[in-house]
Amino acid sequence: MYDALDTYKLLDKLDTPIFVLKVTDFEKQDFKLIYANEANIIACGVDLKKFIGVDLRTNFPGLYEVGLADKYFESVITQKTLEVGEVVYGDENVNRSAYTGKATPISEDTVMITYKDISALKEAEQKLLHQNRVLKEKNKSLEEFAYITSHDLQEPLNTISSFVEILLKTYDERMNDNCRQILGHIGSSTTRLKNMIISILEYSRLGNQKEKMNIDCNLLVQEIQEDFKTLLDSKEVKLHISNLPSVNGSASEMRMLFQNLISNAIKYQERGNIPEVSINVEDNQQGYWIFSVTDNGIGIAENDRQKIFKMFHRLHLQQEYQGVGIGLANCLKIVQNHNGKIWVESVLRQGSTFYFTIPY
Ligand code: ADP
């Protein structure tokens, strides 16, 4: 059995700073300090034991100025444990710092205070907020830069395209095959560059539409199906669509997301293979829907599964599969804008499943 002395020794070993106050005058809300453990020395920079028996108002006036003494008194009067929110406190005896604490009544006229110094935590929080702001600003100016440059770059490309056309039309008879071929290459490279620039423009615009709305994904996929009718028919695609939920998001971006994943599922197939595409959804029971788009296509090697979400990262030549290499970068940005994640699981030559999460 512990006696009172052992209990005090025990409390002195604790990391949590504790002190106990006794009301000496209920009308004036005066207290005196009747107990303090050693942890106070580290927590507030003063050995409170030296102040045992002293009047609180005279020795620690700051506690009254910031309203902490009021809370201690309220706890005694109501006989309830009260959280003492974040407060910055300091006086001639106590280090100035940010503290949180708790006042717990232990009798009708005594209250126990536990607290901790949260200044390091606050500082880290401030730093993080600042870094977050800087990052957001940088991101915004980068997007503006991408938008402006890609917009302006289109102009000289248009000029090149039209001059190539004029050359081919006007001087066709005076040109040999080699010359025609070279101009043909210039024309197709210019078109490719133009497509890339348009893609960057589109990418930089993603996230601009701040307004979110309720989107019925069944309806959305049905519309995409209608838009893709010719492609679906010509490739004899077998499409299986589960019953999909409604989500809150940007309608045009969600459409682009499904559209990119479905068209890739149809495109990246062995020649002659009939594409089979399934769209499913699962509730992860933690506030997210997990959507998936599965195909029976060529699959993606493990090493490439992260890289394909980077801008202009392609695994094939244009002759094998045509594309710009920005579809999945768009998907990643869209999903992130909707506070979700995207990833792919795949077996080479058997197929891939792209998963993405969207909060309910
Ligand atoms: P693009 O299709 O224009 O090349 P994406 O960004 O949509 O651009 O895709 C990037 C790359 O990821 C593609 O070039 C392809 O190699 C690979 N990829 C995307 N979807 C699939 C898929 N369903 N199956 C196999 N490979 C895929």
Side-chain angles (χ1 to χ4, degrees), residues 264 267-268 314 316-325:
N264 278 352
K267 178 163 65 166
Y268 293 103
R314 307 201 67 237
H316 310 279
L317 297 172
Q318 286 300 329
Q319 295 91 305
E320 295 174 293
Y321 299 99
Q322 284 205 339
V324 178

Side-chain angles (χ1 to χ4, degrees), residues 66-265:
V66 296
L68 284 173
D70 286 344
K71 280 275 176 197
Y72 305 157
F73 193 70
E74 192 185 332
S75 169
V76 173
I77 294 299
T78 58
Q79 287 293 295
K80 282 194 178 131
T81 298
L82 298 178
E83 296 285 341
V84 182
E86 291 171 14
V87 81
V88 175
Y89 164 68
D91 55 29
E92 65 176 77
N93 287 319
V94 176
N95 284 347
R96 188 170 177 78
S97 211
Y99 297 98
T100 57
K102 218 182 236 181
T104 311
I106 48 176
S107 75
E108 71 277 6
D109 62 353
T110 51
V111 57
M112 174 179 76
I113 319 298
T114 51
Y115 64 96
K116 64 177 171 222
D117 183 338
I118 53 160
S119 50
L121 211 71
K122 296 257 26 129
E123 210 173 294
E125 193 182 284
Q126 286 303 322
K127 234 184 201 164
L128 212 68
L129 276 174
H130 174 71
Q131 278 168 349
N132 212 358
R133 262 198 304 273
V134 171
L135 213 67
K136 269 193 180 149
E137 274 161 25
K138 277 194 178 158
N139 215 6
K140 197 163 169 245
S141 54
L142 211 66
E143 277 172 8
E144 274 168 15
F145 171 76
Y147 178 81
I148 293 164
T149 44
S150 49
H151 189 265
D152 293 354
L153 283 175
Q154 283 189 75
E155 203 38 51
L157 277 180
N158 287 340
T159 316
I160 298 174
S161 289
S162 24
F163 277 123
V164 167
E165 258 174 58
I166 292 171
L167 277 174
L168 282 169
K169 263 192 207 149
T170 323
Y171 299 97
D172 188 46
E173 283 154 23
R174 278 179 268 171
M175 261 186 235
N176 61 22
D177 280 353
N178 195 22
C179 203
R180 242 178 248 119
Q181 210 177 10
I182 289 171
L183 280 177
H185 284 316
I186 296 176
S188 56
S189 293
T190 314
T191 310
R192 232 175 89 64
L193 195 53
K194 214 173 156 208
N195 285 341
M196 287 169 95
I197 287 170
I198 290 170
S199 306
I200 297 177
L201 208 63
E202 246 174 43
Y203 180 84
S204 70
R205 279 184 189 142
L206 289 177
N208 282 357
Q209 196 191 334
K210 296 278 178 264
E211 258 173 54
K212 301 252 161 93
M213 55 161 77
N214 191 47
I215 305 157
D216 179 346
C217 293
N218 287 316
L219 220 63
L220 187 80
V221 174
Q222 202 179 317
E223 281 168 14
I224 296 173
Q225 226 175 316
E226 282 159 21
D227 293 349
F228 280 1
K229 189 170 178 348
T230 323
L231 176 76
L232 295 172
D233 287 350
S234 70
K235 302 245 175 196
E236 300 174 52
V237 179
K238 288 184 194 151
L239 200 55
H240 312 283
I241 306 164
S242 297
N243 188 27
L244 303 174
S246 291
V247 295
N248 192 38
S250 148
S252 59
E253 294 189 2
M254 285 302 290
R255 168 183 269 268
M256 191 188 245
L257 174 63
F258 275 106
Q259 215 162 277
N260 282 337
L261 295 179
I262 296 171
S263 66
N264 278 352

Side-chain angles (χ1 to χ4, degrees), residues 260-261 264-268 295 297-300 308-310 313-316 321-329 352 354:
N260 282 337
L261 295 179
N264 278 352
I266 299 169
K267 178 163 65 166
Y268 293 103
D295 63 53
I298 55 174
I300 302 159
I308 51 173
F309 292 97
K310 289 189 181 143
H313 200 97
R314 307 201 67 237
L315 307 176
H316 310 279
Y321 299 99
Q322 284 205 339
V324 178
I326 203 166
L328 289 179
S352 312
F354 282 82

